[in-house]
Amino acid sequence: MLYAINAEDMPNSLEKRMSVRSEHLRRIKTLQEAGRLILAGPYPAIDNQDPGPHGFSGSLIVAEFESLEAARVWANEDPYVNAGVYQRITVKPFKKVFPE
């Protein structure tokens, strides 16, 4: 089943985010290579594709996991969690309708 992982960044966490970004992206790439990733990306903190020093306010990942608990465990092991980037993570079942 698909799950939406919605993470909210701590204020002023851009430096921490950038310090572990490559580790974070490696984990997501693993989901992609396994054919389990639907989409992933950050929320810019301002209305701009490149928010520069304003950074990001969080991230969204939609991917396939065997259970809600497995998705929660995976999300909580993210390098951004360990580095203190994320202040809150919400994981919910997700039903993809479009695109077909």
Side-chain angles (χ1 to χ4, degrees):
M1 181 164 184
L2 296 178
Y3 295 89
I5 300 170
N6 189 49
E8 183 180 334
D9 283 16
M10 296 285 288
N12 304 310
S13 60
L14 181 59
E15 188 175 320
K16 291 178 183 177
R17 177 184 268 271
M18 297 313 291
S19 73
V20 294
R21 183 173 185 262
S22 61
E23 296 169 47
H24 169 77
L25 294 178
R26 258 193 303 275
R27 290 183 83 233
I28 295 172
K29 186 81 169 164
T30 301
L31 289 176
Q32 182 180 16
E33 290 169 352
R36 297 169 46 201
L37 182 66
I38 302 302
L39 65 89
Y43 298 115
I46 61 171
D47 188 12
N48 194 308
Q49 188 72 5
D50 179 3
H54 297 282
F56 301 91
S57 62
S59 301
L60 173 65
I61 298 168
V62 178
E64 183 180 346
F65 292 91
E66 64 186 44
S67 67
L68 178 59
E69 183 59 26
R72 285 182 177 147
V73 167
W74 187 90
N76 286 318
E77 292 174 349
D78 194 282
Y80 285 171
V81 172
N82 298 328
V85 175
Y86 291 158
Q87 68 178 342
R88 180 176 306 113
I89 298 175
T90 305
V91 181
K92 294 182 177 183
F94 182 82
K95 181 179 177 183
K96 180 182 170 199
V97 176
F98 292 104
E100 295 179 15

